[in-house]
Amino acid sequence: MERAEAYGFSGAMSGAFLLSCLLFAAVSRRQRGPYMDEVFHVPQAQAYCHGRFLQWDPMITTLPGLYLLSVGAVKPAAWLLGWTGSVVCSVGMLRFINLLFSAGNFYLLYLLLFKIHQKNKAVSGFQRILSALTLAAFPTLYFFTFLYYTDPGSVFFTLFSYLMCLYGNHKTSALLGFCGFMFRQTNIVWTVFCAGNVVAEKLNEAWKTELQKKKDEKISSRKGSFSDLTRILQFLVEYLLSPKNLVTLTVLTWPYIILVSLFFVFVFINGGIVVGDRSSHEACLHFPQLFYFLSFTVFFSFPHLLTPTKIRKFLLSLRKHPVQYSLVTVISLFLIWKFTYVHKYLLADNRHYTFYVWRKVFQRHELVKYLLVPFYLFAGWSFADTLKSKSIFWILMYFVCLLAVTVPQKLLEFRYFILPFLIYRLNIPFLSLYRQLLELAFYILVNAVTFYLFLNRTFQWENSDEVQRFMW
């Protein structure tokens, strides 16, 4: 990092943290007590603060990583500063943990952008800082910085694990992946993703060697034609059936293999992936979740995905491959028809934006969910097109992880899209400075509207005296 870039990054991070502190104070003044899921998280952390580590709220579905880390941070700070009484492990103190995670996420996002795009000399330090600032302000993640939720910590350890993986520190990466798993069980998928990065790199090297042997065959590991894909899949099967190659991959990825093995032991002993209340978190094959994620990504990455050039290229591709697109359309219609699930929370809780998205869009008419298929096709094509700079093996690995982390979820919940979105966004090429500024301005606008609604547009339910607020 050059000196000017280091100063610029320090200034951006300090300014962002100061602004977050001011916003944190505003949220804490307006919502002093626990809100939404904090009703479960805060008392559980406070029980740990008082040494009651065997006490557990059965409504909590995640492992105790957030509470253990909170106690490990707050207790020493309270001892050093002489804090006593209710201020220790108060709602404000616990929420402040996520403010620290948010600063850490900003730093990790910058380091990841630097590492992933280090070969692109056309990217300036200012663009890296701007992109890191934009992703740190990603609305769905940034909002939960100010509440005592698992999301900021979950993202922190997952991004840290990914960074260590890219630097080849796989034992450290697996250890950080375990920390991420302790915040949210589904983060085990991103441990698999880290292992997949190693595997994809080896596969790409072997594939390039294979191409060198067949110079007369014009095949590229980054082409998208079906004939090339068939050859690549054939190569993939042959490579993975080789005992020598399997031993090499095992030696490289053994820390991740151990962690994934421990995960399966946990699932077996626990009787499932969810701890606590399982009635509202049942796994199912909810394939339309992939379509919702793609729509979510287009909305938050429209400077990348929703451009006139992209639309023209998509229409040209549509005209060149009508049979393939027709087949994908039929499959998409079938998946929507047979595998659409509507969670009871989605229909009942009018505090979440998803409630209004579902009511205003999908519930307008039974046919709406089918009429959106052309948009899903464009979103999927545009999404994949932005990843064409990655190897086909990396893309296949990412899509497997994307399916694993989204499809089993019955509830449409934007928080579940945070990590797959960030991983995607980190790995696509940089835009022009104008489009980067447009993206940042859009995020700032969405955040401003979100916090305005949360702080000022309160309402009450008929059967409750508590103040209700709109949120993600």
Side-chain angles (χ1 to χ4, degrees), residues 280-329:
S280 301
H281 296 82
E282 298 172 353
C284 62
L285 290 176
H286 193 181
F287 288 105
Q289 284 278 27
L290 178 62
F291 304 143
Y292 306 149
F293 171 75
L294 291 172
S295 304
F296 173 89
T297 303
V298 168
F299 179 79
F300 281 110
S301 291
F302 74 91
H304 300 263
L305 302 177
L306 197 60
T307 64
T309 303
K310 288 279 186 187
I311 294 171
R312 283 196 298 270
K313 286 177 65 178
F314 172 69
L315 293 175
L316 182 62
S317 177
L318 199 64
R319 196 163 53 187
K320 282 185 176 181
H321 309 287
V323 176
Q324 290 93 325
Y325 281 101
S326 298
L327 179 61
V328 173
T329 300

Short mmCIF file of all heavy atoms in Angstrom, two decimals, residues 280-329:
data_model
loop_
_atom_site.label_atom_id
_atom_site.label_comp_id
_atom_site.label_asym_id
_atom_site.label_seq_id
_atom_site.Cartn_x
_atom_site.Cartn_y
_atom_site.Cartn_z
N SER A 280 -39.67 -23.21 13.13
CA SER A 280 -39.76 -22.12 12.16
C SER A 280 -38.56 -22.07 11.22
O SER A 280 -38.43 -21.14 10.43
CB SER A 280 -39.86 -20.78 12.90
OG SER A 280 -41.01 -20.76 13.73
N HIS A 281 -37.69 -23.07 11.30
CA HIS A 281 -36.49 -23.08 10.46
C HIS A 281 -36.30 -24.48 9.86
O HIS A 281 -35.27 -25.12 10.07
CB HIS A 281 -35.26 -22.66 11.26
CG HIS A 281 -35.33 -21.25 11.75
ND1 HIS A 281 -36.01 -20.89 12.89
CD2 HIS A 281 -34.81 -20.11 11.25
CE1 HIS A 281 -35.90 -19.60 13.07
NE2 HIS A 281 -35.19 -19.09 12.10
N GLU A 282 -37.30 -24.92 9.15
CA GLU A 282 -37.23 -26.23 8.52
C GLU A 282 -36.57 -26.11 7.14
O GLU A 282 -36.89 -25.22 6.37
CB GLU A 282 -38.65 -26.81 8.36
CG GLU A 282 -39.37 -27.02 9.69
CD GLU A 282 -40.83 -27.41 9.49
OE1 GLU A 282 -41.29 -27.38 8.34
OE2 GLU A 282 -41.49 -27.74 10.48
N ALA A 283 -35.67 -27.04 6.86
CA ALA A 283 -35.00 -27.04 5.56
C ALA A 283 -35.93 -27.62 4.50
O ALA A 283 -36.73 -28.51 4.77
CB ALA A 283 -33.72 -27.88 5.64
N CYS A 284 -35.84 -27.07 3.30
CA CYS A 284 -36.64 -27.56 2.18
C CYS A 284 -35.93 -27.19 0.88
O CYS A 284 -34.96 -26.44 0.89
CB CYS A 284 -38.05 -26.96 2.22
SG CYS A 284 -38.07 -25.16 2.05
N LEU A 285 -36.41 -27.73 -0.22
CA LEU A 285 -35.84 -27.39 -1.53
C LEU A 285 -36.62 -26.20 -2.10
O LEU A 285 -37.55 -26.35 -2.88
CB LEU A 285 -35.90 -28.59 -2.46
CG LEU A 285 -34.97 -29.74 -2.14
CD1 LEU A 285 -35.20 -30.91 -3.08
CD2 LEU A 285 -33.51 -29.29 -2.21
N HIS A 286 -36.20 -25.02 -1.71
CA HIS A 286 -36.89 -23.79 -2.11
C HIS A 286 -36.09 -23.14 -3.25
O HIS A 286 -35.45 -22.10 -3.08
CB HIS A 286 -36.98 -22.85 -0.90
CG HIS A 286 -37.91 -21.72 -1.09
ND1 HIS A 286 -38.13 -20.75 -0.13
CD2 HIS A 286 -38.70 -21.35 -2.14
CE1 HIS A 286 -39.01 -19.87 -0.57
NE2 HIS A 286 -39.35 -20.21 -1.79
N PHE A 287 -36.17 -23.73 -4.44
CA PHE A 287 -35.36 -23.28 -5.57
C PHE A 287 -35.60 -21.82 -5.97
O PHE A 287 -34.65 -21.15 -6.42
CB PHE A 287 -35.58 -24.21 -6.78
CG PHE A 287 -34.96 -25.55 -6.61
CD1 PHE A 287 -35.74 -26.67 -6.33
CD2 PHE A 287 -33.59 -25.72 -6.71
CE1 PHE A 287 -35.16 -27.92 -6.17
CE2 PHE A 287 -33.00 -26.96 -6.55
CZ PHE A 287 -33.78 -28.07 -6.27
N PRO A 288 -36.80 -21.29 -5.86
CA PRO A 288 -36.98 -19.86 -6.19
C PRO A 288 -36.14 -18.91 -5.35
O PRO A 288 -35.99 -17.74 -5.72
CB PRO A 288 -38.49 -19.64 -5.94
CG PRO A 288 -39.11 -20.96 -6.24
CD PRO A 288 -38.12 -21.95 -5.70
N GLN A 289 -35.57 -19.39 -4.23
CA GLN A 289 -34.67 -18.54 -3.46
C GLN A 289 -33.51 -18.05 -4.32
O GLN A 289 -33.02 -16.93 -4.15
CB GLN A 289 -34.11 -19.30 -2.25
CG GLN A 289 -35.08 -19.46 -1.10
CD GLN A 289 -35.14 -18.24 -0.19
OE1 GLN A 289 -34.89 -17.12 -0.61
NE2 GLN A 289 -35.51 -18.45 1.06
N LEU A 290 -33.07 -18.89 -5.27
CA LEU A 290 -32.01 -18.47 -6.18
C LEU A 290 -32.47 -17.30 -7.03
O LEU A 290 -31.71 -16.35 -7.26
CB LEU A 290 -31.58 -19.65 -7.07
CG LEU A 290 -30.50 -19.35 -8.10
CD1 LEU A 290 -29.21 -18.92 -7.41
CD2 LEU A 290 -30.25 -20.56 -8.99
N PHE A 291 -33.70 -17.34 -7.49
CA PHE A 291 -34.25 -16.25 -8.29
C PHE A 291 -34.38 -14.97 -7.45
O PHE A 291 -34.13 -13.87 -7.94
CB PHE A 291 -35.61 -16.64 -8.87
CG PHE A 291 -35.60 -17.89 -9.68
CD1 PHE A 291 -36.66 -18.78 -9.65
CD2 PHE A 291 -34.51 -18.21 -10.48
CE1 PHE A 291 -36.65 -19.95 -10.39
CE2 PHE A 291 -34.49 -19.38 -11.24
CZ PHE A 291 -35.56 -20.24 -11.19
N TYR A 292 -34.78 -15.12 -6.20
CA TYR A 292 -34.89 -13.96 -5.32
C TYR A 292 -33.52 -13.34 -5.08
O TYR A 292 -33.37 -12.12 -5.06
CB TYR A 292 -35.52 -14.34 -3.97
CG TYR A 292 -36.84 -15.05 -4.06
CD1 TYR A 292 -37.24 -15.98 -3.10
CD2 TYR A 292 -37.73 -14.81 -5.12
CE1 TYR A 292 -38.45 -16.65 -3.18
CE2 TYR A 292 -38.95 -15.47 -5.20
CZ TYR A 292 -39.29 -16.39 -4.22
OH TYR A 292 -40.50 -17.05 -4.30
N PHE A 293 -32.52 -14.21 -4.90
CA PHE A 293 -31.16 -13.71 -4.70
C PHE A 293 -30.66 -12.95 -5.92
O PHE A 293 -30.04 -11.88 -5.80
CB PHE A 293 -30.21 -14.86 -4.37
CG PHE A 293 -28.76 -14.43 -4.37
CD1 PHE A 293 -28.23 -13.70 -3.31
CD2 PHE A 293 -27.92 -14.74 -5.44
CE1 PHE A 293 -26.90 -13.29 -3.32
CE2 PHE A 293 -26.60 -14.33 -5.45
CZ PHE A 293 -26.09 -13.60 -4.39
N LEU A 294 -30.92 -13.49 -7.10
CA LEU A 294 -30.48 -12.81 -8.33
C LEU A 294 -31.16 -11.45 -8.47
O LEU A 294 -30.52 -10.47 -8.86
CB LEU A 294 -30.78 -13.69 -9.54
CG LEU A 294 -29.95 -14.97 -9.66
CD1 LEU A 294 -30.48 -15.85 -10.79
CD2 LEU A 294 -28.48 -14.64 -9.90
N SER A 295 -32.43 -11.38 -8.13
CA SER A 295 -33.16 -10.10 -8.19
C SER A 295 -32.59 -9.12 -7.18
O SER A 295 -32.40 -7.93 -7.48
CB SER A 295 -34.65 -10.34 -7.90
OG SER A 295 -35.20 -11.29 -8.79
N PHE A 296 -32.31 -9.62 -5.99
CA PHE A 296 -31.69 -8.81 -4.92
C PHE A 296 -30.34 -8.26 -5.40
O PHE A 296 -30.03 -7.08 -5.19
CB PHE A 296 -31.52 -9.72 -3.70
CG PHE A 296 -30.76 -9.14 -2.55
CD1 PHE A 296 -31.41 -8.43 -1.55
CD2 PHE A 296 -29.38 -9.33 -2.43
CE1 PHE A 296 -30.72 -7.92 -0.46
CE2 PHE A 296 -28.68 -8.82 -1.35
CZ PHE A 296 -29.36 -8.11 -0.35
N THR A 297 -29.56 -9.09 -6.06
CA THR A 297 -28.24 -8.69 -6.54
C THR A 297 -28.34 -7.66 -7.65
O THR A 297 -27.56 -6.70 -7.69
CB THR A 297 -27.45 -9.92 -7.01
OG1 THR A 297 -27.37 -10.88 -5.95
CG2 THR A 297 -26.04 -9.55 -7.45
N VAL A 298 -29.28 -7.83 -8.56
CA VAL A 298 -29.47 -6.84 -9.62
C VAL A 298 -29.85 -5.49 -9.02
O VAL A 298 -29.37 -4.44 -9.45
CB VAL A 298 -30.54 -7.31 -10.62
CG1 VAL A 298 -30.96 -6.18 -11.55
CG2 VAL A 298 -30.03 -8.48 -11.45
N PHE A 299 -30.71 -5.52 -8.01
CA PHE A 299 -31.15 -4.28 -7.37
C PHE A 299 -29.96 -3.54 -6.74
O PHE A 299 -29.80 -2.32 -6.95
CB PHE A 299 -32.20 -4.58 -6.31
CG PHE A 299 -32.70 -3.37 -5.57
CD1 PHE A 299 -33.63 -2.53 -6.15
CD2 PHE A 299 -32.23 -3.07 -4.30
CE1 PHE A 299 -34.10 -1.40 -5.48
CE2 PHE A 299 -32.69 -1.95 -3.62
CZ PHE A 299 -33.62 -1.11 -4.21
N PHE A 300 -29.12 -4.25 -6.02
CA PHE A 300 -28.02 -3.60 -5.31
C PHE A 300 -26.76 -3.46 -6.15
O PHE A 300 -25.82 -2.78 -5.72
CB PHE A 300 -27.71 -4.36 -4.02
CG PHE A 300 -28.67 -4.06 -2.90
CD1 PHE A 300 -29.57 -5.01 -2.46
CD2 PHE A 300 -28.70 -2.81 -2.31
CE1 PHE A 300 -30.48 -4.73 -1.44
CE2 PHE A 300 -29.59 -2.51 -1.29
CZ PHE A 300 -30.48 -3.48 -0.86
N SER A 301 -26.72 -4.07 -7.31
CA SER A 301 -25.55 -3.93 -8.20
C SER A 301 -25.98 -3.47 -9.58
O SER A 301 -25.37 -3.86 -10.58
CB SER A 301 -24.80 -5.26 -8.30
OG SER A 301 -24.17 -5.59 -7.09
N PHE A 302 -27.00 -2.64 -9.65
CA PHE A 302 -27.51 -2.24 -10.96
C PHE A 302 -26.46 -1.51 -11.81
O PHE A 302 -26.49 -1.63 -13.04
CB PHE A 302 -28.78 -1.40 -10.82
CG PHE A 302 -28.58 0.00 -10.34
CD1 PHE A 302 -28.38 1.04 -11.24
CD2 PHE A 302 -28.59 0.30 -8.99
CE1 PHE A 302 -28.18 2.34 -10.81
CE2 PHE A 302 -28.39 1.59 -8.54
CZ PHE A 302 -28.18 2.62 -9.45
N PRO A 303 -25.49 -0.76 -11.22
CA PRO A 303 -24.47 -0.17 -12.09
C PRO A 303 -23.62 -1.22 -12.80
O PRO A 303 -23.04 -0.95 -13.86
CB PRO A 303 -23.62 0.66 -11.13
CG PRO A 303 -24.51 0.96 -9.98
CD PRO A 303 -25.33 -0.30 -9.83
N HIS A 304 -23.54 -2.42 -12.22
CA HIS A 304 -22.78 -3.51 -12.82
C HIS A 304 -23.64 -4.35 -13.77
O HIS A 304 -23.18 -4.79 -14.83
CB HIS A 304 -22.23 -4.45 -11.74
CG HIS A 304 -21.33 -3.81 -10.76
ND1 HIS A 304 -19.96 -3.85 -10.86
CD2 HIS A 304 -21.59 -3.08 -9.63
CE1 HIS A 304 -19.41 -3.19 -9.85
NE2 HIS A 304 -20.38 -2.73 -9.09
N LEU A 305 -24.88 -4.61 -13.38
CA LEU A 305 -25.70 -5.62 -14.04
C LEU A 305 -26.80 -5.07 -14.93
O LEU A 305 -27.20 -5.74 -15.89
CB LEU A 305 -26.33 -6.54 -12.98
CG LEU A 305 -25.37 -7.27 -12.05
CD1 LEU A 305 -26.13 -8.07 -11.02
CD2 LEU A 305 -24.44 -8.18 -12.84
N LEU A 306 -27.31 -3.90 -14.63
CA LEU A 306 -28.46 -3.38 -15.35
C LEU A 306 -28.04 -2.18 -16.18
O LEU A 306 -28.34 -1.03 -15.85
CB LEU A 306 -29.57 -3.00 -14.35
CG LEU A 306 -30.98 -2.80 -14.91
CD1 LEU A 306 -31.48 -4.08 -15.58
CD2 LEU A 306 -31.93 -2.39 -13.81
N THR A 307 -27.35 -2.46 -17.27
CA THR A 307 -26.86 -1.39 -18.15
C THR A 307 -27.36 -1.64 -19.57
O THR A 307 -27.67 -2.78 -19.94
CB THR A 307 -25.32 -1.36 -18.16
OG1 THR A 307 -24.83 -2.59 -18.74
CG2 THR A 307 -24.77 -1.22 -16.75
N PRO A 308 -27.45 -0.59 -20.40
CA PRO A 308 -27.89 -0.79 -21.80
C PRO A 308 -27.03 -1.80 -22.55
O PRO A 308 -27.54 -2.59 -23.33
CB PRO A 308 -27.76 0.62 -22.39
CG PRO A 308 -27.91 1.54 -21.22
CD PRO A 308 -27.27 0.83 -20.07
N THR A 309 -25.73 -1.77 -22.29
CA THR A 309 -24.83 -2.72 -22.96
C THR A 309 -25.16 -4.15 -22.56
O THR A 309 -25.19 -5.06 -23.42
CB THR A 309 -23.37 -2.41 -22.60
OG1 THR A 309 -23.07 -1.06 -22.96
CG2 THR A 309 -22.41 -3.36 -23.31
N LYS A 310 -25.40 -4.37 -21.27
CA LYS A 310 -25.75 -5.71 -20.79
C LYS A 310 -27.06 -6.18 -21.44
O LYS A 310 -27.18 -7.35 -21.84
CB LYS A 310 -25.91 -5.70 -19.27
CG LYS A 310 -24.63 -5.56 -18.49
CD LYS A 310 -23.92 -6.88 -18.38
CE LYS A 310 -22.71 -6.77 -17.46
NZ LYS A 310 -21.91 -8.01 -17.47
N ILE A 311 -28.03 -5.31 -21.50
CA ILE A 311 -29.33 -5.69 -22.07
C ILE A 311 -29.18 -6.05 -23.54
O ILE A 311 -29.74 -7.06 -24.01
CB ILE A 311 -30.35 -4.54 -21.88
CG1 ILE A 311 -30.63 -4.32 -20.40
CG2 ILE A 311 -31.65 -4.84 -22.64
CD1 ILE A 311 -31.44 -3.09 -20.10
N ARG A 312 -28.40 -5.27 -24.30
CA ARG A 312 -28.18 -5.58 -25.72
C ARG A 312 -27.48 -6.92 -25.88
O ARG A 312 -27.85 -7.74 -26.74
CB ARG A 312 -27.36 -4.47 -26.37
CG ARG A 312 -28.15 -3.21 -26.68
CD ARG A 312 -27.40 -2.31 -27.65
NE ARG A 312 -26.13 -1.86 -27.09
CZ ARG A 312 -25.97 -0.75 -26.39
NH1 ARG A 312 -27.02 0.03 -26.15
NH2 ARG A 312 -24.79 -0.40 -25.93
N LYS A 313 -26.45 -7.17 -25.07
CA LYS A 313 -25.72 -8.43 -25.16
C LYS A 313 -26.62 -9.62 -24.79
O LYS A 313 -26.53 -10.69 -25.41
CB LYS A 313 -24.51 -8.41 -24.22
CG LYS A 313 -23.36 -7.55 -24.72
CD LYS A 313 -22.22 -7.50 -23.72
CE LYS A 313 -21.58 -8.84 -23.52
NZ LYS A 313 -20.43 -8.78 -22.57
N PHE A 314 -27.49 -9.41 -23.81
CA PHE A 314 -28.41 -10.48 -23.42
C PHE A 314 -29.39 -10.79 -24.55
O PHE A 314 -29.63 -11.98 -24.86
CB PHE A 314 -29.19 -10.08 -22.17
CG PHE A 314 -30.30 -11.02 -21.80
CD1 PHE A 314 -30.02 -12.30 -21.34
CD2 PHE A 314 -31.62 -10.65 -21.96
CE1 PHE A 314 -31.04 -13.18 -21.02
CE2 PHE A 314 -32.65 -11.53 -21.64
CZ PHE A 314 -32.36 -12.79 -21.17
N LEU A 315 -29.94 -9.77 -25.18
CA LEU A 315 -30.89 -9.98 -26.29
C LEU A 315 -30.19 -10.67 -27.46
O LEU A 315 -30.79 -11.53 -28.13
CB LEU A 315 -31.49 -8.65 -26.73
CG LEU A 315 -32.41 -7.97 -25.70
CD1 LEU A 315 -32.85 -6.60 -26.19
CD2 LEU A 315 -33.62 -8.85 -25.40
N LEU A 316 -28.94 -10.33 -27.71
CA LEU A 316 -28.17 -10.98 -28.76
C LEU A 316 -27.94 -12.45 -28.43
O LEU A 316 -28.09 -13.34 -29.28
CB LEU A 316 -26.82 -10.27 -28.94
CG LEU A 316 -25.91 -10.81 -30.05
CD1 LEU A 316 -26.58 -10.66 -31.41
CD2 LEU A 316 -24.57 -10.07 -30.04
N SER A 317 -27.61 -12.73 -27.16
CA SER A 317 -27.43 -14.11 -26.71
C SER A 317 -28.73 -14.89 -26.82
O SER A 317 -28.74 -16.07 -27.20
CB SER A 317 -26.91 -14.12 -25.27
OG SER A 317 -26.79 -15.42 -24.77
N LEU A 318 -29.83 -14.23 -26.50
CA LEU A 318 -31.16 -14.84 -26.59
C LEU A 318 -31.48 -15.25 -28.02
O LEU A 318 -32.03 -16.32 -28.29
CB LEU A 318 -32.20 -13.86 -26.06
CG LEU A 318 -33.56 -14.38 -25.64
CD1 LEU A 318 -33.44 -15.32 -24.45
CD2 LEU A 318 -34.48 -13.22 -25.28
N ARG A 319 -31.08 -14.39 -28.95
CA ARG A 319 -31.36 -14.65 -30.36
C ARG A 319 -30.46 -15.76 -30.91
O ARG A 319 -30.87 -16.54 -31.76
CB ARG A 319 -31.14 -13.37 -31.16
CG ARG A 319 -31.74 -13.39 -32.55
CD ARG A 319 -31.86 -11.99 -33.11
NE ARG A 319 -30.59 -11.26 -33.06
CZ ARG A 319 -30.47 -9.97 -33.36
NH1 ARG A 319 -31.54 -9.28 -33.69
NH2 ARG A 319 -29.29 -9.38 -33.30
N LYS A 320 -29.24 -15.86 -30.37
CA LYS A 320 -28.30 -16.87 -30.84
C LYS A 320 -28.60 -18.26 -30.30
O LYS A 320 -28.30 -19.28 -30.94
CB LYS A 320 -26.87 -16.47 -30.43
CG LYS A 320 -26.26 -15.40 -31.29
CD LYS A 320 -24.81 -15.17 -30.88
CE LYS A 320 -24.13 -14.17 -31.79
NZ LYS A 320 -22.71 -13.95 -31.41
N HIS A 321 -29.16 -18.33 -29.08
CA HIS A 321 -29.38 -19.62 -28.42
C HIS A 321 -30.83 -19.76 -27.95
O HIS A 321 -31.08 -19.93 -26.74
CB HIS A 321 -28.43 -19.77 -27.22
CG HIS A 321 -26.99 -19.50 -27.54
ND1 HIS A 321 -26.22 -20.37 -28.27
CD2 HIS A 321 -26.19 -18.44 -27.22
CE1 HIS A 321 -24.99 -19.87 -28.39
NE2 HIS A 321 -24.96 -18.69 -27.77
N PRO A 322 -31.79 -19.73 -28.85
CA PRO A 322 -33.20 -19.78 -28.43
C PRO A 322 -33.58 -21.10 -27.77
O PRO A 322 -34.40 -21.13 -26.84
CB PRO A 322 -33.97 -19.57 -29.74
CG PRO A 322 -33.01 -19.99 -30.81
CD PRO A 322 -31.66 -19.64 -30.31
N VAL A 323 -32.99 -22.20 -28.23
CA VAL A 323 -33.35 -23.52 -27.68
C VAL A 323 -32.90 -23.63 -26.22
O VAL A 323 -33.66 -24.07 -25.35
CB VAL A 323 -32.72 -24.66 -28.52
CG1 VAL A 323 -33.03 -26.01 -27.88
CG2 VAL A 323 -33.25 -24.61 -29.95
N GLN A 324 -31.65 -23.22 -25.95
CA GLN A 324 -31.13 -23.30 -24.59
C GLN A 324 -31.94 -22.43 -23.63
O GLN A 324 -32.28 -22.85 -22.52
CB GLN A 324 -29.66 -22.87 -24.55
CG GLN A 324 -28.71 -23.86 -25.22
CD GLN A 324 -28.47 -23.53 -26.68
OE1 GLN A 324 -29.37 -23.05 -27.37
NE2 GLN A 324 -27.26 -23.79 -27.16
N TYR A 325 -32.25 -21.21 -24.05
CA TYR A 325 -33.02 -20.31 -23.19
C TYR A 325 -34.45 -20.81 -22.99
O TYR A 325 -35.03 -20.64 -21.91
CB TYR A 325 -33.02 -18.89 -23.76
CG TYR A 325 -31.75 -18.13 -23.49
CD1 TYR A 325 -30.77 -17.99 -24.47
CD2 TYR A 325 -31.52 -17.58 -22.23
CE1 TYR A 325 -29.59 -17.30 -24.22
CE2 TYR A 325 -30.35 -16.89 -21.96
CZ TYR A 325 -29.38 -16.76 -22.96
OH TYR A 325 -28.21 -16.09 -22.69
N SER A 326 -35.00 -21.43 -24.02
CA SER A 326 -36.35 -22.00 -23.88
C SER A 326 -36.35 -23.12 -22.85
O SER A 326 -37.27 -23.22 -22.03
CB SER A 326 -36.84 -22.53 -25.23
OG SER A 326 -36.95 -21.49 -26.18
N LEU A 327 -35.30 -23.95 -22.89
CA LEU A 327 -35.19 -25.04 -21.93
C LEU A 327 -35.04 -24.50 -20.51
O LEU A 327 -35.70 -24.99 -19.57
CB LEU A 327 -33.99 -25.92 -22.29
CG LEU A 327 -33.70 -27.12 -21.38
CD1 LEU A 327 -34.89 -28.09 -21.39
CD2 LEU A 327 -32.44 -27.83 -21.81
N VAL A 328 -34.19 -23.49 -20.33
CA VAL A 328 -34.00 -22.89 -19.01
C VAL A 328 -35.30 -22.25 -18.52
O VAL A 328 -35.64 -22.34 -17.34
CB VAL A 328 -32.87 -21.84 -19.04
CG1 VAL A 328 -32.78 -21.10 -17.71
CG2 VAL A 328 -31.54 -22.51 -19.35
N THR A 329 -36.07 -21.65 -19.43
CA THR A 329 -37.35 -21.04 -19.06
C THR A 329 -38.33 -22.08 -18.56
O THR A 329 -39.00 -21.88 -17.53
CB THR A 329 -37.95 -20.30 -20.27
OG1 THR A 329 -37.06 -19.28 -20.71
CG2 THR A 329 -39.31 -19.69 -19.92
#
